[in-house]
């Protein structure tokens, strides 16, 4: 198959490298900054640099841009896409992009299937892309009414390039779960490192500090878009968290060992039940 | 030297194994449950199981128990300790134990130097102890008025068994920094996993979830003691965190992208400045 990857940042670059190293598909790379595409070509991460004609040859198109940019790109380039081609995004939010992309699919006669590769790093850009980034990771698919065969094709490609688990979901469930599993940890990490103690942590810290602060090294432009486009479920999860945090803080303030130990034990039991 | 390790849990067991694998010191293990000490002996983690007479032969005594238990143990067994022996605790809090242990040192004529090995796992007990646990970790020493030679002896032992960094501090600074680097992440992890989304995270999660939730698998008895004995600096850090969290939450609620991006950018800059 001809696979077009639009946007060669960490996710797009990793898709290209993973497809090239695990399959025989022909990879066409598109990037706003030409030098990055040239680098990807010379790395062997892509087989050719794309243009409108190349887009028309693609059997699968993987959008690896900011959420709104995915919609804008297809609005402008939908006319070049081959009839029946499979288009997927890789956005971290789904309610804000899937309905528009499904509507564009009907307009331009291609098939849209939403997806979200659950992998990343605390750095961005093509230079940190990695053909092994998806090894062992989950790949969430939101079919959004697409035919079963297209969903299977995308799931098979994901499995072929290293994803360990395919999760079928819908935009609402996806966005609610992602608010908890991904967005909340990023907000916590940022709030955490704003303590005046943080710049002096070295020599006093270990794994707990490292882990909770890791994702504070955030791409503020991308994540503020992701947070605001997912405002309702995110605010709900933030309220759940601040309520649970308050219960623990109150027990500490009131020197109430029994309540405090019981709250910590609840946390312990959740992790134990998950086998983590 | 004869080194006595009192309490063969994850920390005590790891001290024994690290001392045996990196030095030629003679290790005497003490443990409330005899079968654990027998296991340590048969593993070669200790050279003998200790009793009062053996305590009197120890040149260095490392207390690896809960904070209050360290003080109780020395209150009861101080009379067996050799004059001039070096005693250190390994408690995660210092203001609550160091003054008492320094007073007991004067009473029984030994030398007390506080210390805190910055290493651990989300599991506990001798069975997860590990001779490599301290490799690359920080070892905090609170001299608490002890002579320089004793502090150097302890620092040298720490360096010999794998610690990469020795931090000299006092109980006040230690407890303030630990509230931030260690206690806060444990509280956050527990509050986080109490979300109703948590039991269903699989298939929707990746590194962010894994890292922020890791230490929720907590020993509730130990940590409730640590939190309450360190209440004042911990409550201060919790207030700093909840204030910073509120600023981010408010920006999300008000759909204020500029403020939100600026707050995230602050977090990003803190991590960048630390080279993390």
């Amino acid at each position: 198959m001809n696979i077009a990857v639009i946007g060669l940042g960490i996710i797009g670059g990793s898709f290209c490298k993973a497809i090239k190293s695990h399959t025989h598909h022909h990879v066409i790379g598109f990037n706003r900054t030409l030098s990055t595409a040239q680098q990807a070509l010379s790395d062997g991460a892509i087989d050719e640099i794309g243009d409108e004609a190349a887009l028309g040859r693609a059997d699968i198109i993987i959008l690896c841009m900011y959420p709104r940019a995915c919609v804008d790109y297809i609005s402008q380039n939908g006319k070049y896409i081959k009839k029946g081609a499979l288009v997927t995004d890789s956005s971290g939010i789904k309610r804000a992009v899937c309905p528009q992309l499904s509507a564009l699919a009907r307009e331009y006669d291609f098939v849209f299937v939403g997806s979200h590769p659950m992998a990343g790093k605390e750095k961005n850009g093509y230079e940190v892309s990695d053909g092994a980034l998806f090894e062992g990771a989950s790949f969430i698919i939101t079919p959004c009414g697409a035919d079963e065969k297209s969903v299977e094709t995308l799931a098979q490609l994901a499995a072929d390039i290293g994803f360990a688990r395919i999760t079928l979901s819908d935009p609402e469930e996806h966005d609610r779960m992602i608010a908890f599993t991904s967005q909340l940890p990023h907000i916590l990490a940022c709030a955490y490192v704003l303590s005046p103690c943080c710049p002096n942590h070295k020599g006093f810290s270990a794994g707990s500090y490292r882990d909770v602060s890791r994702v504070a090294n955030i791409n503020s432009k991308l994540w503020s878009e992701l947070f605001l486009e997912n405002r309702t479920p995110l605010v709900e999860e933030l309220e759940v968290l601040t309520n649970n945090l308050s219960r623990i803080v109150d027990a500490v303030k009131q020197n109430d060992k029994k309540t405090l130990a019981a709250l910590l034990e609840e946390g312990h039991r959740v992790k134990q039940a998950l086998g983590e």
Side-chain angles (χ1 to χ4, degrees), chain A residues 12-32:
Chain A
S14 298
F15 266 117
C16 293
K17 290 174 180 177
I19 295 167
K20 287 299 296 174
S21 68
H22 287 98
T23 76
H24 292 101
H25 301 308
H26 180 84
V27 178
I28 312 166
F30 293 73
N31 200 64
R32 204 165 39 183

Side-chain angles (χ1 to χ4, degrees), chain A residues 1-275:
Chain A
M1 290 191 289
N2 292 324
I3 302 183
V5 176
I6 321 293
L8 302 178
I10 177 174
I11 299 298
S14 298
F15 266 117
C16 293
K17 290 174 180 177
I19 295 167
K20 287 299 296 174
S21 68
H22 287 98
T23 76
H24 292 101
H25 301 308
H26 180 84
V27 178
I28 312 166
F30 293 73
N31 200 64
R32 204 165 39 183
T33 307
L34 185 62
S35 58
T36 303
Q38 286 165 336
Q39 182 62 50
L41 188 63
S42 84
D43 290 347
I46 61 176
D47 296 297
E48 64 173 294
I49 297 175
D51 56 15
E52 287 90 351
L55 195 62
R57 282 188 278 114
D59 302 296
I60 297 184
I61 298 171
I62 305 176
L63 304 169
C64 300
M65 296 169 290
Y66 285 20
R68 287 194 182 174
C70 290
V71 177
D72 293 345
Y73 181 85
I74 296 296
S75 298
Q76 287 157 28
N77 296 283
K79 55 181 177 285
Y80 303 117
I81 296 173
K82 184 163 72 176
K83 307 287 173 224
L86 170 57
V87 176
T88 191
D89 69 320
S90 52
S91 298
I93 45 173
K94 288 283 161 270
R95 286 169 311 139
V97 294
C98 290
Q100 289 96 315
L101 289 170
S102 292
L104 288 162
R106 287 188 292 272
E107 182 178 347
Y108 293 112
D109 206 12
F110 61 81
V111 179
F112 171 71
V113 179
S115 66
H116 181 187
M118 292 304 298
K121 291 184 184 176
E122 61 275 29
K123 293 185 174 163
N124 298 291
Y126 174 78
E127 56 278 13
V128 293
S129 67
D130 178 354
L133 184 67
F134 307 129
E135 295 291 342
S138 289
F139 187 72
I140 307 174
I141 296 180
T142 53
C144 301
D147 62 289
E148 236 173 73
K149 192 169 158 291
S150 299
V151 174
E152 267 170 33
T153 300
L154 186 60
Q156 187 59 56
L157 177 64
D160 287 347
I161 66 175
F163 285 97
R165 183 173 185 145
I166 310 290
T167 305
L168 288 178
S169 185
D170 56 59
E172 289 68 29
E173 181 189 46
H174 171 276
D175 286 2
R176 199 169 60 243
M177 289 304 295
I178 288 305
F180 170 71
T181 60
S182 166
Q183 298 193 327
L184 214 53
H186 282 79
I187 287 181
L188 277 180
C190 284
Y192 177 71
V193 302
L194 294 181
S195 164
C197 287
C198 194
N200 310 315
H201 81 84
K202 285 178 187 175
F204 291 96
S205 62
S208 305
Y209 165 84
R210 183 195 62 226
D211 285 357
V212 77
S213 72
R214 181 175 62 84
V215 293
N217 198 350
I218 203 166
N219 174 341
S220 60
K221 189 160 170 279
L222 171 61
W223 284 92
S224 52
E225 180 173 333
L226 290 170
F227 293 155
L228 294 183
E229 296 281 3
N230 199 33
R231 208 157 66 252
T232 307
L234 177 57
V235 167
E236 281 176 21
E237 272 307 310
L238 282 163
E239 282 171 356
V240 169
L241 177 84
T242 47
N243 285 341
N244 285 321
L245 194 54
S246 296
R247 292 162 69 202
I248 299 178
V249 174
D250 289 347
V252 173
K253 281 186 181 166
Q254 290 160 21
N255 204 13
D256 179 351
K257 193 165 187 173
K258 197 177 154 198
T259 302
L260 178 59
L263 286 163
L264 303 180
E265 195 59 31
E266 271 188 60
H268 173 72
R269 271 198 299 265
V270 171
K271 292 289 276 182
Q272 286 275 308
L274 285 162

